[in-house]
Amino acid sequence: MKNTVVTMFGMVAGLVVALILVLFVRQDIFVSPFSNSIAKPLSLKKYTFPQLRQSSLPISKISITKKLDIDTKPPTYQFTFHDNEKKVSGVLMLPPEPGEYPVVVLFRGYVDKEIYSPGIGTKRFAEYLAQAGYITLAPDFLGYGDSDLPSFDFFEARFQTYTTALTLLKSLDSANDALLQKKLKYTLDTSKVGLWGHSNGGHIALSVLAITGQAYPTVLWAPVTKGFPDSVLTFANEM
């Protein structure tokens, strides 16, 4: 009799758990049965790698806005594009002589906003690559340079670096139109694109490789290689 009661209790408990999962855990909403909180959409789920693989990020128009004077020898310009509705600025560096060149996209590491200026963390390597015959683009990322502000949610602001990087790579062809409009006789060979990343920028580069599955030639300098959520929480604690 005792075993029968235990078995029946176990079956009822199992049904209750299953019902909770069906009612309260859906693809886009989670509600805890142990609280009185109202259902909240899982707004950050769109930044998971599986979701980003399936999502179709829009191609953005790249514009060249002005020439930059940032203590570099090759021709250096500010460019802008849009990550969804938010403007992102960045630094474009060109080889000394006009022509068609392969491309390297550079992702810098963390820099405090109070000391940030365009090119910090990338300009010396970009200068070396430009002298060697590469066109380089280095996004400032949201909240830096002339970019719009990121999300006020700390975690979403971190995850927006993924969409910024992915959108820029997807939009590289439009940079040729921007160069033509500025009468700059350079062409990006977008069949030859590489990545470079330092520290958190290395984490962004690794994320791009994982999300896209593309075999971009990639150089990483002291990259963040911790898996999620440690890749975020470790530095959140420091901040």
Side-chain angles (χ1 to χ4, degrees), residues 143-174:
Y144 292 86
D146 286 336
S147 304
D148 290 339
L149 292 174
S151 169
F152 290 108
D153 183 296
F154 171 81
F155 290 101
E156 183 169 22
R158 295 275 298 188
F159 300 148
Q160 283 174 322
T161 60
Y162 302 160
T163 55
T164 294
L166 292 167
T167 300
L168 176 56
L169 286 165
K170 194 173 182 179
S171 307
L172 286 176
D173 280 325
S174 72

Side-chain angles (χ1 to χ4, degrees), residues 148-222:
D148 290 339
L149 292 174
S151 169
F152 290 108
D153 183 296
F154 171 81
F155 290 101
E156 183 169 22
R158 295 275 298 188
F159 300 148
Q160 283 174 322
T161 60
Y162 302 160
T163 55
T164 294
L166 292 167
T167 300
L168 176 56
L169 286 165
K170 194 173 182 179
S171 307
L172 286 176
D173 280 325
S174 72
N176 286 324
D177 293 332
L179 289 165
L180 189 62
Q181 289 176 3
K182 289 293 184 180
K183 298 182 180 180
L184 296 168
K185 297 180 180 180
Y186 291 85
T187 303
L188 284 72
D189 182 353
T190 54
S191 69
K192 299 176 181 177
V193 178
L195 306 178
W196 176 93
H198 169 230
S199 189
N200 186 56
H203 171 75
I204 295 169
L206 288 169
S207 300
V208 166
L209 294 173
I211 293 164
T212 65
Q214 297 295 313
Y216 293 111
T218 302
V219 172
L220 304 176
W221 170 33

Side-chain angles (χ1 to χ4, degrees), residues 64-79 90-96 106 118-120 122-124 126-128 130-131 134-138 140 179 184 186:
I64 297 174
T65 52
K66 62 183 178 182
K67 192 166 185 178
L68 292 175
D69 182 13
I70 58 171
D71 185 29
T72 52
K73 293 179 181 178
T76 305
Y77 296 84
Q78 182 188 73
F79 71 92
V91 178
L92 167 73
M93 204 172 295
L94 302 170
L106 307 148
I120 283 184
T122 58
K123 66 181 180 181
R124 292 304 169 217
E127 185 174 27
Y128 176 83
Q131 301 277 19
Y134 293 87
I135 294 174
T136 67
L137 296 96
D140 293 320
L179 289 165
L184 296 168
Y186 291 85

Side-chain angles (χ1 to χ4, degrees), residues 72-104:
T72 52
K73 293 179 181 178
T76 305
Y77 296 84
Q78 182 188 73
F79 71 92
T80 61
F81 66 104
H82 283 81
D83 175 358
N84 291 305
E85 300 300 320
K86 291 181 177 286
K87 182 182 76 172
V88 183
S89 61
V91 178
L92 167 73
M93 204 172 295
L94 302 170
E97 299 296 327
E100 183 177 21
Y101 298 98
V103 187
V104 179

Side-chain angles (χ1 to χ4, degrees), residues 7 27 38 57 155:
T7 301
Q27 198 169 42
I38 299 174
L57 293 172
F155 290 101

